[in-house]
Amino acid sequence: MHIKSKVLKGLLLALVLALIPTVKISADAAGPQTPSCGNYTVTTNEVIAGVKFPKGTYQINTFGISCAKVMGSKGLFAKFLKLKDKDPLPKPWVYLADAIGAPKFSSGPGVGFRVQLLGSMPTVSPTPTPSATPSATPTPTPTPTPTPTPTPTPTPTPTIKPWIPPTAPTNWNDVVQNADGIAYWAWKKSAEKIDSATSKLGLIEILMGPNVVINNPTPLVALNLVSRLSANYEEPKKVVVVYAGEKDIEWGQKQIDEFCAGRVCGYDVAGEAKKACNIPVTPCWGGLALRNNRTNVPLIYMTASEWGKTDPGHTTGTLEAHEYFHTIQDILLANGSTDVVPRWLTEGSATWVQRATVFSSDFSKYEVQRDRDNNDTLSRNKRTAAWLEKFLDPDYTTGWDKWNGNEYDSWAIYDVGALATEVLVAIGGVDKFLDLYKVTGTGKSFTQAFESIYGISWRDGVKVIANAIVAQQK
């Protein structure tokens, strides 16, 4: 029996309001944002994965993992301390060398712990044993003089200096110089926008396949956060969201076919359910966004299966945020084709938006997701400024084939595109970045829109963007 939800009217509105999180964002707070699990004493100087951890008392804070798994003689921190100095951490654990604040270990987005050194242990010198000096004539034992008991001087509690945010890039002239502040200030500007805005999320109709396994029980949270990020712009008045797993391919394709009947989605949608599920490769991962050109109602198709229950992309709401932002892009472009803007902007900005919204209340979680999204360009396969400048050429706008092969890598559309978007937001804020779509939607080319908004030609601006990305490489 097929399971199909009814249109959520009053009930949906109540659910939407209930799921809009009220979050007070403390963007300038240093270090961990969860209660401490307690302290752990390291008795000797240790090295973990090549990083020195001097003896002393460490405060431990966890996120996405219980204190019990990290603390104690059998906890993860103790296991890490027992490794040889140059041994790698057990997979999937990594040490985040560039994490702001205390040293940080992570096994994936939103999962890990921080250790903060509170004070070093004093080195105690042993009391020497006096050697007897032989003498022919015994020396009388003198009457001992009482030694006053010294009053111990209390060890001062070390003052932990508050974390100071990196210098903010303010314009095209200083963004490369202040590249270390790009990630933080792009996040902060988006977090402030979300914190001060009200959601305008429209009617959401949810259809669920007969074999769906719920991965994210609160999808409207992510959609509301994206709505607040784009609060100054028009959004869809109604969205159809379809969830389907590996066993729901035929059912899912039927929903797409009925929604796009008469080619009202602009192209032949046959086989889209299989593409979304990456058939014949399993398990399913990902989603897609379509629009009915007759009604201007978008459809978001989401894969949902047993496998997705352990994948952060399916459980945190980032996938919903990514696909919902595609529907907003479409409206900003006056319901035109997204091919009028570069492919890296379409997918890369949606990748940046998903982490900026879902993790808007915690910069450390934003960092974890950023490390995951941008590891290739920033660390594993560093791109040169010349390569990046060529890749960001706005003339490449149609067809995935433009990005495949030896010269271009399809994942770079998401990776490099997200980093380029981050630069734009760090310099000009969220609304200027969204205006790129809106102004292009009025009929201007992308390069014309860019220059009118940012006051610099694309030819000059892309050089700055490319060098700013290179300056962040590790």
Side-chain angles (χ1 to χ4, degrees), residues 42-47 52-56 58 81 85 120-121:
V42 178
T43 57
T44 60
N45 294 331
E46 298 287 354
V47 175
K52 294 181 180 179
F53 285 77
K55 58 186 176 182
Y58 289 78
L81 290 169
D85 292 359
S120 300
M121 294 180 64

Side-chain angles (χ1 to χ4, degrees), residues 36 63 72 164 203 258 262 281 301 404 414-415 473:
S36 168
F63 49 96
I164 301 175
L203 183 67
E258 291 177 355
V281 180
Y301 189 94
N404 294 329
Y414 302 85
D415 178 6
Q473 290 175 345

Side-chain angles (χ1 to χ4, degrees), residues 333 337-342 345 394-395 397 435-454 456-459:
L333 291 168
S337 171
T338 54
D339 288 343
V340 299
V341 294
L345 182 64
D395 289 338
T397 56
D435 279 342
L436 268 178
Y437 292 99
K438 187 174 182 179
V439 175
T440 304
T442 65
K444 288 188 176 183
S445 68
F446 168 78
T447 55
Q448 290 172 331
F450 178 86
E451 186 167 359
S452 68
I453 294 166
Y454 289 99
I456 186 174
S457 70
W458 173 253
R459 183 185 297 273

